[in-house]
Amino acid sequence: MGTECIAKYNFSATADQDLPFSKGDVLTIITVTKDPNWYKAKNKVGREGIIPANYVQKREGVKSGTKLSLMPWFHGKITREQAERLLHPPETGLFLVRESTNYPGDYTLCVSCDGKVEHYRIIYKASKLSIDEEAFFDNLMQLVEHYTSDADGLCTRLVKPKLMEGTVAAQDEFSRSGWALHRKDLKLLQIIGKGEFGDVMLGEYQGNKVAVKCIKNDATAQAFVAEALVMTQLRHKNLVQLLGVILEDKSSLYIVTEFMAKGSLVDYLRSRGRAVLGGECLLKFSLDVSEAMEYLEDNNFVHRDLAARNVLVSDDNIAKVSDFGLTKEASATLDTGKLPVKWTAPEALREKNFSTKSDVWSFGILLWEIYSFGRVPYPRIPLKDVVPRVEKGYKMESPDGCPHVVYEVMKQCWNLDPHMRPTFRKLREQLEQIKAKESYL
């Protein structure tokens, strides 16, 4: 797979072998030509040609372990004295924001000015932030942006943020690695889904339909920056592809992905049902997901929230795994009380012990969802009874009409001993063998 790059300018071909493109187009570099100033590349419809190297920016995954922050100048709970030490040596316009020590719930803007540090209380009132009760802001980012362009009563305009140690400004990092898109290039068309933190919208980016997660820029937005960071590192035909992130709008941030016209797999199964979907189609969806999960397994990522609701279906019936909100590198720990009990492996519920093997358990549940045409798992068992029964070895019965060989695969995934569960590679191979036999149809 070649390196991806994003076009910084328009390029119109001047010779037959040139490949024309528009600013913002994503291209794949095939090789560097004899002249390093030109690349051989192809566009998304597969047309190949020569492009100028200085017209494009290579895309790279944001390094894992990078602590991206939407507010790298926010230092949390530090004292007045610590703030003053951080803003030393004095430099007029150097600033940071901290939580107020005297007024819990409020903030303090600390600014270096003519050799000393001024502390301005930021009052939080009626869901708005203000320093002078004349100008009001929805969030700290808007407030900082305002005083960066105009001192407006402060001793100086905010010139240079004092970054919290170890953090990187998210906007800078997404721009550097080629994932920052521009708001003016994105047209929002209609709401196609509602998430817990904001709307999912159908949009248009350079003439192509895209899906856009619109997230209010507040405390929760930070989690979505982490999700986008994970998505910059993943590329597979059965994973929903990130197209880019828009962080320049201070009231919302946007995560732009490919548009999956047929929606979530669970809705697709329920609305079409047995009359429309044959065994071949169900097996194909199962294989699609197993391939995506094998890729995550190989790259040491754990999804942690695999379920039919988090798999989307494209216009040409390809299933792709999405929703990387809880996806972490295998070594990371997760603190959450919002785990979907019926999909989560017993050891993950009990000890927060997530691994590829807990994803395998969830894959078994997802297979059951596919073959039951989107039924909710553990039918007729009250939610509070699910875990105790599962821990005693209870396994769901085979869905009506499900081939015996497929049900056997589900049961392997539900082994109480995580080490006894198959790998995703093994699962994909088993499903391919079932497909090759075709006798199940």
Side-chain angles (χ1 to χ4, degrees), residues 19 28-33 38-42 48-51:
L19 178 66
T28 305
I29 298 167
I30 302 167
T31 53
V32 178
T33 62
W38 295 84
Y39 298 142
K40 184 176 185 192
K42 70 175 175 187
E48 296 185 4
I50 305 298
I51 63 168

Side-chain angles (χ1 to χ4, degrees), residues 192-433:
I192 50 174
K194 277 202 178 304
E196 199 178 333
F197 301 105
D199 295 330
V200 179
M201 298 195 70
L202 171 64
E204 201 173 86
Y205 185 75
Q206 291 169 327
N208 296 308
K209 282 184 176 176
V210 292
V212 187
K213 269 189 184 176
C214 311
I215 294 112
K216 280 254 173 288
N217 238 335
D218 57 18
T220 55
Q222 193 58 48
F224 290 91
V225 169
E227 177 174 350
L229 180 143
V230 167
M231 292 181 80
T232 68
Q233 300 169 57
L234 305 173
R235 294 206 76 69
H236 188 274
K237 65 182 175 57
N238 297 114
L239 293 177
V240 171
Q241 183 53 50
L242 176 73
L243 299 176
V245 181
I246 298 170
L247 293 171
E248 65 205 26
D249 180 336
K250 291 292 176 273
S251 58
S252 295
L253 77 95
Y254 305 92
I255 295 179
V256 184
T257 63
E258 63 179 315
F259 174 61
M260 303 290 283
K262 292 185 176 172
S264 80
L265 178 59
V266 73
D267 292 340
Y268 186 82
L269 292 163
R270 285 174 186 169
S271 61
R272 304 287 185 302
R274 227 171 272 279
V276 178
L277 303 175
E280 204 173 339
C281 184
L282 301 182
L283 190 65
K284 187 193 163 299
F285 287 148
S286 308
L287 259 167
D288 284 348
V289 176
S290 71
E291 286 186 43
M293 296 309 296
E294 182 183 356
Y295 169 83
L296 291 183
E297 174 177 74
D298 288 347
N299 287 280
N300 209 25
F301 279 95
V302 181
H303 190 284
R304 304 175 185 228
D305 197 11
L306 184 61
R309 63 181 173 277
N310 289 336
V311 175
L312 300 178
V313 182
S314 71
D315 209 15
D316 48 359
N317 273 13
I318 296 169
K320 302 191 185 195
V321 175
S322 79
D323 255 299
F324 300 98
L326 296 179
T327 304
K328 299 275 191 295
E329 285 193 74
S331 56
T333 54
L334 177 73
D335 169 36
T336 176
K338 290 188 171 174
L339 291 173
V341 169
K342 292 182 171 188
W343 283 263
T344 307
E347 74 280 2
L349 288 170
R350 204 173 44 241
E351 299 137 26
K352 302 275 185 280
N353 187 1
F354 285 86
S355 65
T356 293
K357 295 302 188 192
S358 58
D359 275 352
V360 167
W361 177 286
S362 307
F363 179 72
I365 305 288
L366 182 138
L367 277 181
W368 189 92
E369 288 184 276
I370 290 175
Y371 280 86
S372 64
F373 296 89
R375 286 188 76 187
V376 176
Y378 302 100
R380 296 183 294 283
I381 298 178
L383 187 60
K384 65 176 177 31
D385 298 342
V386 170
V387 177
R389 287 189 62 173
V390 165
E391 294 205 314
K392 287 194 184 84
Y394 173 78
K395 292 180 174 64
M396 281 188 284
E397 288 166 20
S398 177
D400 287 350
C402 172
H404 179 68
V405 276
V406 176
Y407 180 55
E408 287 303 315
V409 174
M410 290 178 205
K411 287 198 294 190
Q412 290 172 31
C413 297
W414 300 330
N415 197 308
L416 285 174
D417 179 351
H419 304 294
M420 299 301 289
R421 293 172 206 155
T423 61
F424 278 110
R425 166 162 295 179
K426 185 87 185 111
L427 287 165
R428 174 188 53 79
E429 286 169 353
Q430 285 180 314
L431 292 169
E432 278 178 344
Q433 281 162 6

Side-chain angles (χ1 to χ4, degrees), residues 7 44 50 57 62 74 81 110 122 130 149-150 154 162 174 183 216 269 288 320 334 374 402 418 427:
K44 61 177 178 295
I50 305 298
Q57 177 184 10
V62 177
F74 181 64
E81 294 69 35
C110 312
I122 301 170
S130 181
S149 54
D150 184 354
L154 303 187
K162 174 69 184 177
F174 282 115
R183 176 68 184 87
K216 280 254 173 288
L269 292 163
D288 284 348
K320 302 191 185 195
L334 177 73
C402 172
L427 287 165

Side-chain angles (χ1 to χ4, degrees), residues 67-70 72 163 167-174:
K67 189 159 183 249
L68 293 186
S69 175
L70 292 165
L163 302 190
T167 59
V168 179
Q171 174 76 35
D172 297 350
E173 188 57 25
F174 282 115

